[in-house]
Amino acid sequence: MAKSDRLFRLMHLLRSLHPPVTAGDLAQELGVSQRTLYRDIDALRACGARIEGEAGFGYTLTEDYALPPQSLTQIEIEALVLGLSEVRLRGDPALSQAARDALAKITASLPEEKRAQIEHSVGLVHRYLPQKQYVADLSLIRQACWEERALRLFYRDRQGRETRREIWPLAIVYLDEELMLLAHCRLRGAFRQFLVGSILSLEWAKGSFRPRRVPMLRDYISELRTRHAIAPYCEDGRRIMREENLTAPL
């Protein structure tokens, strides 16, 4: 691991692990000797990070030079913790880990009083039912949306019919008990909704639709809203949601 990558990883560990963190634990996480760990701590301090502690006592990050100070109200902190906790429980492994990392970074940027509010937030999230597992790779779908690249999917509808589709993925919608993929179907030449749980396989297809994802998604949501009280249907004919409940930050 390059030194720059190691220092970045060390900062993340200091943000996320419960302080004080011993040199032995940090060295083990990084796969280096404690002697190297001590030099890395000195390097971070030289860059401006305020790291209290010393060998034998453990280390605490008291001021993070890499993150700007945040001015969040207590209710904003409650909303932040509750939202990221929900993502941690509902998201796929990559998204769940991202929620943990994001909260750790935000916490590290706050003054001591605000950190205490995060650690003792009122809102808690718990789910009795286990997280649903999907055959489709959600990381692949997100990447395709970010990069505006076409996907090819094998899909099974409610009647058990299986079809292959090439799509331009636009967004993933988190419903109460299901995930839904909004897309433009190249076979139908129109916008369509696909239940992620009904996707049997997924792979890259040739072609890019950059830079059309944002305007296409805006047009699709506008189209849904203009149908008033008519509920949209999934590709296999199942009713999904009412349009007035569908929003997007565009």
Side-chain angles (χ1 to χ4, degrees):
M1 183 187 300
K3 182 177 180 179
S4 58
D5 294 334
R6 192 173 68 245
L7 292 178
F8 182 84
R9 175 64 178 165
L10 176 56
M11 283 296 296
H12 174 69
L13 291 173
L14 289 169
R15 295 181 189 121
S16 57
L17 296 179
H18 192 275
V21 191
T22 66
D25 289 341
L26 291 170
Q28 183 177 3
E29 289 283 346
L30 294 171
V32 299
S33 67
Q34 291 192 32
R35 186 174 181 178
T36 298
L37 188 279
Y38 297 145
R39 289 199 295 266
D40 287 347
I41 291 289
D42 289 340
L44 290 177
R45 284 169 167 166
C47 290
R50 288 186 58 187
I51 303 173
E52 294 183 354
E54 57 186 57
F57 295 95
Y59 296 96
T60 300
L61 181 65
T62 59
E63 185 174 331
D64 194 337
Y65 76 96
L67 296 175
Q70 302 290 334
S71 299
L72 298 174
T73 65
Q74 188 165 11
I75 190 63
E76 289 172 341
I77 287 176
E78 288 288 337
L80 178 70
V81 172
L82 193 63
L84 288 175
S85 297
E86 179 69 19
V87 173
R88 182 175 57 82
L89 289 180
R90 288 207 62 189
D92 57 280
L95 198 61
S96 180
Q97 185 60 51
R100 292 187 182 91
D101 293 345
L103 185 59
K105 291 178 180 179
I106 293 171
T107 302
S109 73
L110 296 175
E112 184 175 353
E113 178 185 355
K114 299 294 184 180
R115 292 189 198 180
Q117 291 175 4
I118 284 185
E119 293 173 357
H120 304 289
S121 58
V122 175
L124 301 175
V125 178
H126 178 73
R127 292 285 179 266
Y128 287 100
L129 297 178
Q131 173 66 22
K132 186 172 182 178
Q133 302 298 313
Y134 295 97
V135 174
D137 185 349
L138 292 172
S139 294
L140 183 64
I141 295 176
R142 280 194 297 270
Q143 184 178 353
C145 290
W146 293 337
E147 298 179 2
E148 297 172 87
R149 294 174 58 186
L151 289 174
R152 186 178 298 108
L153 58 85
F154 193 36
Y155 191 79
R156 177 183 293 146
D157 64 20
R158 185 174 54 179
Q159 287 73 36
R161 295 173 300 197
E162 299 178 353
T163 60
R164 293 188 181 277
R165 300 295 180 89
E166 186 170 310
I167 63 169
W168 290 346
L170 303 177
I172 303 171
V173 181
Y174 285 74
L175 304 174
D176 291 340
E177 298 180 357
E178 181 60 271
L179 299 184
M180 184 176 66
L181 174 61
L182 302 184
H184 187 275
C185 178
R186 307 304 295 149
L187 177 64
R188 304 301 187 196
F191 294 122
R192 287 291 187 271
Q193 302 166 11
F194 298 91
L195 289 176
V196 174
S198 296
I199 298 176
L200 303 177
S201 66
L202 193 65
E203 62 184 9
W204 292 112
K206 293 182 179 179
S208 168
F209 58 104
R210 184 182 298 275
R212 301 175 59 188
R213 188 184 77 86
V214 171
M216 288 179 70
L217 181 57
R218 184 183 293 115
D219 290 345
Y220 190 11
I221 292 176
S222 177
E223 177 184 305
L224 292 175
R225 287 172 174 164
T226 58
R227 297 178 190 172
H228 303 293
I230 302 176
Y233 289 80
C234 186
E235 175 64 22
D236 60 10
R238 281 175 280 185
R239 179 174 287 192
I240 298 299
M241 69 175 85
R242 297 178 69 86
E243 289 78 359
E244 57 265 30
N245 295 330
L246 181 62
T247 59
L250 300 177

